[in-house]
Amino acid sequence: MNLTIERHKDIAYHYIATRQFKTVQITLRFFDELEEKSATARHLMLSMLKAKNRLHPSRKALTRKLEELYDTSLSGVSLKLGNKHINQFGVNIVNPSFIDDPRFFEDVLEILRATLFNPRFDEKTLEEEKQFLKDYFKAEYANKARYAAKRYRDHLFAGHPNRINPLGAMEHIDAITLEEVEKAYERMIGQNSLLVSVVGDFDEERVHRRLRAALPFETNAPLPDDFFLRSAFEKKEPITETMPLAQDRLFMTLSSGVFYGDEGYFTMVVLTALLGEGGDSLLFRRVREEKSLAYYVHAQYRPFSALVSIHSAMKKKNVEQAKALIEETLEDIKAGNFKKRSLDLAKQYLITSIKQSFDSPRSLSLIALRHQLLSMPFDESYMLKKIRDVSKTDVMETAKRLRWIFTYVLGSEDDEKDAI
Amino acid sequence: MKKTQYKTFHETVYHFQLQGRLDVYLIKKPDFSKTYVTLSAPLGSIHRRYKDGEGTLHEVPAGAAHFLEHKIFERDGKDISEDFSMDEAQINAFTEHHRTTYLFSATNHVLSNVERLFKAFFFPDFTDKGVEKEKNIIAEELNMHLDDPYYEQYHRLMRNLYQNHPLREDILGTKESIGALRKEHLKAMHEAYYQPEKATCVIVGDLDAYRVKAHLTENAVLPEKTFSEPVPHFLGEPANVQKEREVAELDLLMPSVLIGVKFLPEMHMDIKSRIRERLSLSILMSLLLGKSSDVFERMMESGVINDTYGLDVAVEDTYSHVLIGTETEKPEAFEASILEALKKFPEAKITDADFRRIKNNLIGSFIHGLDSLEALAHQFTEYIQYDIVFFDVLEIAQSITKEEILSLAKRLDTSKLSRFIAMPQTKQGDV
């Protein structure tokens, strides 16, 4: 498959034509600076756009139209990429070649056009969306795994730009006015950087022509080129919070200083996989399989803040043992006390994952985005070679530069709630 | 080898039997680099009984199917997942109420990985030590769910909806039943339920079916036939629910309501009619209670529901229910709205436009599913147990008439329902 990049002024259009899929995925990503209050307004605005528009003036009317168009899905999500906020819209449609209706693709484009260029902003919809967003934040408390992760992020990123949730914050919701939503909309459509991506089996030129005609963007800003939150993370005192739980949630954090695309980036990717990604990782083997302390344990590399988070859950009485085991495992990596097979398994895990990502429309669109914005080649073999080239010495040396900066536990006060 | 082409969807399915015992299906997916393989046994959490070779009936503790799933990839006390990993495959497994599925996705060496999967599935190596060690891990899996009030809400609703059905039990079992499970239980259930004749293998990917068949015929080893047999679970579920309504305080900030409507399956129906009924029920529910329905719009307009509102239709051999739920600050209004809507089912009106729309949606949803190798393999396995090829399901759905849906709306008894309302805990000092 090939990636074709078209440009119109400062807007980039990615076309990934492949015969694998029977659906076509169109994604539009609008980039702006990440800021808490504007994130809240932008998220509410996005939610209002995907709920209804002037052509489909109620949620029911829009849903019915999407059903009529063969289960076309219209999505809108707020995301962040480093220091940028993204309003992402997507439509996923059945490939028109399966549909016996020559107007089908035009009808889909009409929905997208109505969503983005014919909005229906009114107080009632704003109030509804505000309520949904408040409900969403309230629901974070219910699932304790999700709540623990939120508390961990709140503490870890306190005072740091990375703390900002792309959906905004509870405390800003009430104050957002319709005028602010409209301003956020005007800014998104007319001034935000924009990247459009289409994945599926289609004729690039034809689709590009029709997309350009249906969605007449003209004045958007150039695509951003700096995404990194390079402010340093200071070591923080560990925090333990309590609530009635069956299982304590443990989070440990390492600072690496290695950001996406830096020289040591692929080494960090391999090191994290070796440490705690997948069922063959050292932590999974030791914490779960050998000591039976936990059902899951995993490590996640955050390349836009250069941190690694390790997360697990276990009975209160086992937390200290798990912490010690995790620290000991990192020491073993630093000292090279791990088998070549473990490193090979980590690389194999990554190689299989990279290859599989070229089978998913969503992943393909993201790989193209990283190519455009972060100079990562749109090339499976490049990524595989980089993974394969990482040596044991590279891993050991990089591990030596990692620093423990923060540990968080959300746990029960004494004995666990009904725990086994 | 049987080859069937589904020209409308550009899909091809190959079918062969290995040694005349194990059904293998291959769905050709050109240009995909990944191959997804599943091997399923008809043993789910609702199956607790087997007959040994002498015809004696035995029952095992709850959670046996799930426990067995945890131990399949162990050999000589070691997890064999890394053998798959080294051959570019990532394995996983999951247990449902009525089935256990083992799977891998591979980007290379597919056939050696299939052999490996067969070996693990048909020739497990249970040890007392391995079983004891796993108890802690499964206990932690269960603990993880205990901290999720929505999980608790679902389970308590199931206990209120059904009186006897094993659906009342958690797939993982209970702390007592997990503690009581022994190697012998796993071995006996495996012998009864993991026979090649009862298993199904589905391969989805860009492979040459003839090469797959030749390779597996030469290399795959199947176990000898055993004499123990699965025993269907207890079928004496009454039509009435155990408890119609329960309100409980759970650790959440916003009330959450889950309503279950119980329909006992028509046992006398033939398979094709049951599939038709299952599809009809989904269509009916989408039309009358789905996100494009008038009921949904009214509840949304009056702030009774939010965007967590959802609908789930489950129709299996021995149970059938619809779940309707939302988080809401107006739990009683939500209950009243749904109860009223259900009562009005017999008077339901469906316009031709509504019906066309929902049919279009069905066709679209079917085609969307073909892009996910995972979804395709699971749907295929689901239907093939009834001897129906998934690609024929759309044709059945398209032949359903508006009159059939209206007739179903009239005869469906929606009065057997249970509601579980989870309320935030009253804190000390609250009035």
Side-chain angles (χ1 to χ4, degrees):
Chain A
M1 81 202 47
N2 286 318
L3 165 66
T4 307
I5 301 181
E6 298 283 348
R7 280 193 165 275
H8 171 72
K9 297 188 177 168
D10 286 316
I11 305 161
Y13 293 81
H14 290 176
Y15 295 99
I16 302 166
T18 163
R19 297 182 60 195
Q20 283 161 295
F21 308 120
K22 295 184 165 70
T23 57
V24 178
Q25 194 177 79
I26 304 172
T27 311
L28 294 97
R29 297 184 176 94
F30 295 90
F31 296 80
D32 208 331
E33 294 305 313
L34 182 65
E35 194 268 322
E36 201 161 78
K37 189 167 181 209
S38 69
T40 315
R42 279 169 68 81
H43 181 72
L44 287 168
M45 174 266 293
L46 165 133
S47 305
M48 291 172 77
L49 290 180
K50 72 168 179 171
K52 48 183 100 157
N53 54 62
R54 287 211 186 108
L55 209 60
H56 310 95
S58 69
R59 293 173 199 273
K60 185 174 80 177
L62 181 56
T63 308
R64 287 189 171 187
K65 188 67 195 171
L66 293 167
E67 286 178 349
E68 194 183 308
L69 291 175
Y70 300 86
D71 193 28
T72 289
S73 68
L74 170 68
S75 62
V77 287
S78 298
L79 305 164
K80 65 177 177 183
L81 186 68
N83 57 15
K84 297 290 178 288
H85 186 271
I86 305 174
N87 277 152
Q88 176 177 301
F89 295 87
V91 287
N92 194 4
I93 63 169
V94 169
N95 191 303
S97 65
F98 286 98
I99 305 295
D100 186 19
D101 176 358
R103 272 209 53 81
F104 172 67
F105 192 56
E106 289 309 318
D107 285 349
V108 169
L109 290 179
E110 192 173 86
I111 289 198
L112 204 45
R113 183 184 166 85
T115 301
L116 293 169
F117 288 95
N118 213 349
R120 183 189 158 120
F121 291 126
D122 56 46
E123 291 289 355
K124 183 173 177 301
T125 312
L126 177 59
E127 286 314 308
E128 286 170 0
E129 293 299 337
K130 281 183 173 181
Q131 192 54 52
F132 296 164
L133 189 55
K134 285 180 193 172
D135 293 350
Y136 173 84
F137 286 132
K138 272 190 193 174
E140 281 188 322
Y141 174 82
N143 181 321
K144 300 304 175 287
R146 199 173 138 203
Y147 179 68
K150 175 191 156 23
R151 294 296 299 163
Y152 162 65
R153 285 194 307 271
D154 287 349
H155 290 303
L156 173 65
F157 296 125
H160 190 278
N162 211 355
R163 76 183 182 284
I164 299 169
N165 184 334
L167 276 62
M170 186 73 132
E171 58 268 32
H172 293 302
I173 297 175
D174 279 332
I176 303 283
T177 63
L178 197 58
E179 288 68 37
E180 283 171 290
V181 167
E182 283 168 346
K183 267 190 198 160
Y185 165 75
E186 295 298 340
R187 184 174 160 82
M188 181 187 83
I189 288 294
Q191 296 168 45
N192 274 185
S193 314
L194 171 60
L195 199 156
V196 182
S197 126
V198 188
V199 184
D201 187 7
F202 51 80
D203 178 291
E204 287 116 311
E205 273 181 40
R206 201 154 156 250
V207 169
H208 183 59
R209 215 170 39 242
R210 291 165 87 176
L211 260 183
R212 285 273 310 112
L215 308 173
F217 297 107
E218 290 295 336
T219 55
N220 301 74
L223 288 165
D225 55 8
D226 178 20
F227 291 87
F228 300 110
L229 297 161
R230 290 194 186 267
S231 13
F233 283 92
E234 297 303 322
K235 188 173 164 65
K236 296 181 177 201
E237 286 303 308
I239 293 178
T240 298
E241 293 180 311
T242 56
M243 68 190 309
L245 289 175
Q247 207 175 41
D248 282 21
R249 264 71 179 186
L250 167 68
F251 295 84
M252 297 172 76
T253 321
L254 288 158
S255 168
S256 74
V258 181
F259 290 84
Y260 190 94
D262 283 358
E263 203 187 326
Y265 169 71
F266 281 101
T267 305
M268 270 309 296
V269 170
V270 173
L271 166 55
T272 311
L274 171 70
L275 181 65
E277 271 186 68
D280 302 316
S281 67
L282 297 178
L283 287 180
F284 194 87
R285 293 278 141 206
R286 293 178 179 187
V287 175
R288 172 172 152 146
E289 297 297 316
E290 286 170 24
K291 302 287 181 190
S292 303
L293 296 178
Y295 174 63
Y296 67 87
V297 54
H298 64 255
Q300 182 196 3
Y301 174 40
R302 302 166 180 267
F304 291 91
S305 53
L307 301 178
V308 177
S309 294
I310 296 151
H311 172 39
S312 188
M314 68 279 305
K315 287 189 193 102
K316 180 165 217 61
K317 65 173 189 189
N318 290 332
V319 170
E320 288 308 316
Q321 191 188 351
K323 269 194 219 170
L325 206 49
I326 291 167
E327 285 170 354
E328 195 181 292
T329 304
L330 182 67
E331 290 307 311
D332 281 343
I333 294 178
K334 288 179 188 173
N337 292 335
F338 57 90
K339 290 181 183 155
K340 179 180 175 297
R341 185 171 169 87
S342 297
L343 184 61
D344 290 344
L345 281 165
K347 289 185 185 180
Q348 210 57 61
Y349 171 84
L350 294 165
I351 287 166
T352 309
S353 301
I354 290 168
K355 285 186 177 178
Q356 295 196 8
S357 66
F358 281 77
D359 281 340
S360 144
R362 190 172 157 270
S363 300
L364 282 168
S365 172
L366 283 172
I367 295 167
L369 177 142
R370 289 198 288 262
H371 168 66
Q372 173 89 49
L373 302 176
L374 300 154
S375 308
M376 185 65 67
F378 185 83
D379 177 3
E380 182 185 294
S381 55
Y382 170 85
M383 293 184 230
L384 299 185
K385 182 174 185 316
K386 289 301 231 181
I387 297 291
R388 288 189 180 115
D389 284 351
V390 173
S391 69
K392 183 171 181 177
T393 313
D394 294 337
V395 169
M396 288 164 61
E397 290 309 311
T398 303
K400 285 175 193 164
R401 291 199 293 273
L402 298 178
R403 289 180 301 115
W404 289 110
I405 59 161
F406 180 56
T407 298
Y408 173 74
V409 177
L410 180 67
S412 49
E413 228 159 276
D414 36 49
D415 287 337
E416 301 83 2
K417 177 191 80 173
D418 303 317
I420 298 168
Chain B
M1 174 89 82
K2 186 181 168 197
K3 175 183 175 185
T4 315
Q5 283 182 294
Y6 296 87
K7 290 192 175 145
T8 321
F9 312 116
H10 310 165
E11 296 282 354
T12 308
V13 179
Y14 299 85
H15 172 228
F16 60 90
Q17 271 198 337
L18 210 53
Q19 299 173 19
R21 299 179 68 195
L22 174 67
D23 282 309
V24 180
Y25 297 88
L26 188 143
I27 305 170
K28 178 90 173 162
K29 281 293 192 183
D31 298 328
F32 274 83
S33 53
K34 169 169 80 177
T35 299
Y36 189 76
V37 178
T38 64
L39 184 57
S40 311
L43 171 63
S45 62
I46 62 172
H47 306 107
R48 301 262 308 273
R49 303 188 299 169
Y50 69 94
K51 256 185 205 164
D52 64 22
E54 285 156 9
T56 310
L57 190 69
H58 300 268
E59 183 160 340
V60 300
H66 174 257
F67 206 120
L68 205 164
E69 176 230 297
H70 269 239
K71 300 313 293 175
I72 277 286
F73 290 119
E74 189 173 292
R75 196 152 303 270
D76 300 327
K78 283 187 183 158
D79 191 331
I80 55 164
S81 69
E82 60 180 63
D83 297 337
F84 285 91
S85 304
M86 285 309 287
D87 261 358
E88 288 194 30
Q90 293 175 344
I91 56 163
N92 212 335
F94 58 91
T95 308
E96 296 170 278
H97 290 304
H98 57 291
R99 187 172 50 226
T100 309
T101 302
Y102 300 85
L103 59 98
F104 68 80
S105 59
T107 46
N108 218 335
H109 311 296
V110 175
L111 295 175
S112 58
N113 282 314
V114 172
E115 277 180 60
R116 204 170 269 133
L117 181 65
F118 283 3
K119 193 174 172 197
F121 183 97
F122 291 120
F123 302 97
D125 178 25
F126 304 120
T127 61
D128 289 323
K129 196 178 160 198
V131 169
E132 283 312 308
K133 191 170 70 78
E134 203 67 21
K135 288 181 179 176
N136 281 335
I137 296 171
I138 296 176
E140 287 303 338
E141 188 178 358
L142 196 58
N143 282 337
M144 185 172 76
H145 297 312
L146 291 178
D147 287 332
D148 181 355
Y150 303 125
Y151 190 85
E152 186 172 349
Q153 181 180 35
Y154 169 80
H155 276 287
R156 287 171 71 170
L157 179 76
M158 286 296 123
R159 296 186 81 79
N160 292 346
L161 203 54
Y162 291 93
Q163 297 191 37
N164 299 320
H165 200 285
L167 208 58
R168 302 178 87 235
E169 287 156 4
D170 195 311
I171 287 175
L172 275 66
T174 62
K175 56 181 174 182
E176 290 79 18
S177 72
I178 293 167
L181 274 159
R182 298 192 319 276
K183 179 183 82 176
E184 289 70 26
H185 294 132
L186 305 187
K187 202 163 174 297
M189 290 299 269
H190 180 270
E191 276 181 15
Y193 287 85
Y194 279 53
Q195 285 296 301
E197 292 79 1
K198 300 180 179 86
T200 307
C201 177
V202 178
I203 302 172
V204 194
D206 193 2
L207 296 183
D208 177 340
Y210 295 93
R211 224 188 106 230
V212 171
K213 184 183 176 190
H215 181 96
L216 292 180
T217 303
E218 195 175 326
N219 296 290
V221 183
L222 298 181
E224 284 180 19
K225 183 151 180 48
T226 62
F227 296 98
S228 55
E229 280 293 322
V231 175
H233 61 79
F234 179 66
L235 296 175
E237 176 64 29
N240 286 332
V241 300
Q242 172 80 12
K243 193 173 189 179
E244 289 185 348
R245 188 169 187 272
E246 185 176 355
V247 183
E249 289 191 358
L250 300 181
D251 193 13
L252 34 70
L253 297 178
M254 188 169 179
S256 172
V257 184
L258 193 58
I259 300 175
V261 192
K262 177 179 175 182
F263 310 109
L264 283 189
E266 303 267 359
M267 302 308 290
H268 61 272
M269 272 189 183
D270 64 71
I271 294 290
K272 291 246 155 89
S273 308
R274 269 156 71 180
I275 296 290
R276 204 175 173 84
E277 180 104 337
R278 168 199 288 215
L279 293 165
S280 300
L281 185 62
S282 294
I283 292 173
L284 176 68
M285 289 296 163
S286 296
L287 276 166
L288 300 186
L289 295 176
K291 290 190 173 179
S292 60
S293 67
D294 295 333
V295 172
F296 176 84
E297 185 176 54
R298 273 198 300 277
M299 292 192 294
M300 204 65 158
E301 292 287 315
S302 52
V304 167
I305 56 172
N306 61 18
D307 55 0
T308 61
Y309 175 83
L311 188 66
D312 185 43
V313 179
V315 184
E316 295 299 335
D317 282 358
T318 62
Y319 65 90
S320 167
H321 58 241
V322 173
L323 301 181
I324 310 151
T326 192
E327 290 162 25
T328 174
E329 292 293 356
K330 300 176 180 174
E332 284 169 6
F334 174 66
E335 282 182 79
S337 303
I338 294 297
L339 260 55
E340 192 195 340
L342 290 170
K343 262 190 209 143
K344 287 185 178 166
F345 265 35
E347 309 147 32
K349 290 189 175 49
I350 301 169
T351 65
D352 286 343
D354 285 339
F355 197 63
R356 236 189 348 262
R357 190 186 77 239
I358 230 71
K359 283 280 186 78
N360 277 6
N361 194 54
L362 211 63
I363 296 168
S365 148
F366 185 86
I367 297 174
H368 277 283
L370 302 179
D371 274 356
S372 159
L373 307 194
E374 294 82 354
L376 186 52
H378 297 310
Q379 290 280 10
F380 195 91
T381 307
E382 180 69 34
Y383 283 99
I384 208 67
Q385 64 178 323
Y386 303 115
D387 280 332
I388 290 177
V389 176
F390 176 58
F391 298 106
D392 290 328
V393 171
L394 187 61
E395 202 177 311
I396 301 174
Q398 282 187 288
S399 70
I400 293 170
T401 63
K402 193 174 85 175
E403 288 65 37
E404 270 180 273
I405 300 293
L406 286 169
S407 148
L408 178 64
K410 281 192 176 57
R411 68 185 156 82
L412 208 58
D413 178 3
T414 56
S415 65
K416 307 288 186 286
L417 54 86
S418 179
R419 296 159 270 164
F420 189 98
I421 300 99
M423 296 297 288
Q425 285 167 340
T426 319
K427 296 204 169 56
Q428 279 188 344
D430 284 1
V431 178

